[in-house]
C-alpha cells in the first residue's frame, strides 16, 4: 500500500485501471453489466475504458515505458 503514495505507484495504478477497464469493455456481457453506468465508481471505470480504447497506442506505449522503469529503473 505505501507504493500507491508515490508518484510512480500512482501512475502504475492508473495505467492498470485504464488497461483493465478497456479490456473489460471488449467483453460484451461485462460491457453491459459493468460499464453501462456513467456515475459513481462505475462511471470512473467507464471513463477509464473510454480513455483506454480511444488512446490505445499512447496507453500501450506508456505501459511499456512504465514496465521498463519499474524493472530497470527501480
Amino acid at each position: 500500500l505505501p507504493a500507491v503514495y508515490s508518484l510512480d505507484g500512482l501512475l502504475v495504478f492508473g495505467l492498470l485501471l485504464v488497461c483493465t477497464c478497456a479490456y473489460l469493455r471488449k467483453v460484451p456481457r461485462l460491457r453491459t453489466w459493468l460499464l453501462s453506468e456513467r456515475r459513481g465508481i462505475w462511471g470512473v471505470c467507464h471513463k477509464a475504458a473510454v480513455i483506454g480504447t480511444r488512446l490505445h497506442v499512447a496507453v500501450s506505449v506508456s505501459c511499456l515505458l512504465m514496465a521498463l522503469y519499474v524493472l530497470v529503473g527501480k
Side-chain angles (χ1 to χ4, degrees), residues 8 12 17 19 33 35 43 52 54 61 64 69 71:
D8 55 344
V12 168
L17 178 73
C19 292
W33 187 53
L35 299 173
R54 290 187 182 170
V61 167
L64 287 173
Y69 170 72
L71 289 174

Side-chain angles (χ1 to χ4, degrees), residues 22-36:
Y23 177 74
L24 290 177
R25 187 174 178 168
K26 296 292 182 184
V27 181
R29 278 205 174 161
L30 291 177
R31 181 178 185 173
T32 58
W33 187 53
L34 292 176
L35 299 173
S36 62

Side-chain angles (χ1 to χ4, degrees), residues 4-20:
V4 177
Y5 295 117
S6 64
L7 181 62
D8 55 344
L10 190 63
L11 288 174
V12 168
F13 177 76
L15 284 172
L16 286 175
L17 178 73
V18 167
C19 292
T20 303

Side-chain angles (χ1 to χ4, degrees), residues 51-63:
I51 290 171
T53 54
R54 290 187 182 170
L55 299 174
H56 62 278
V57 175
V59 170
S60 62
V61 167
S62 54
C63 281

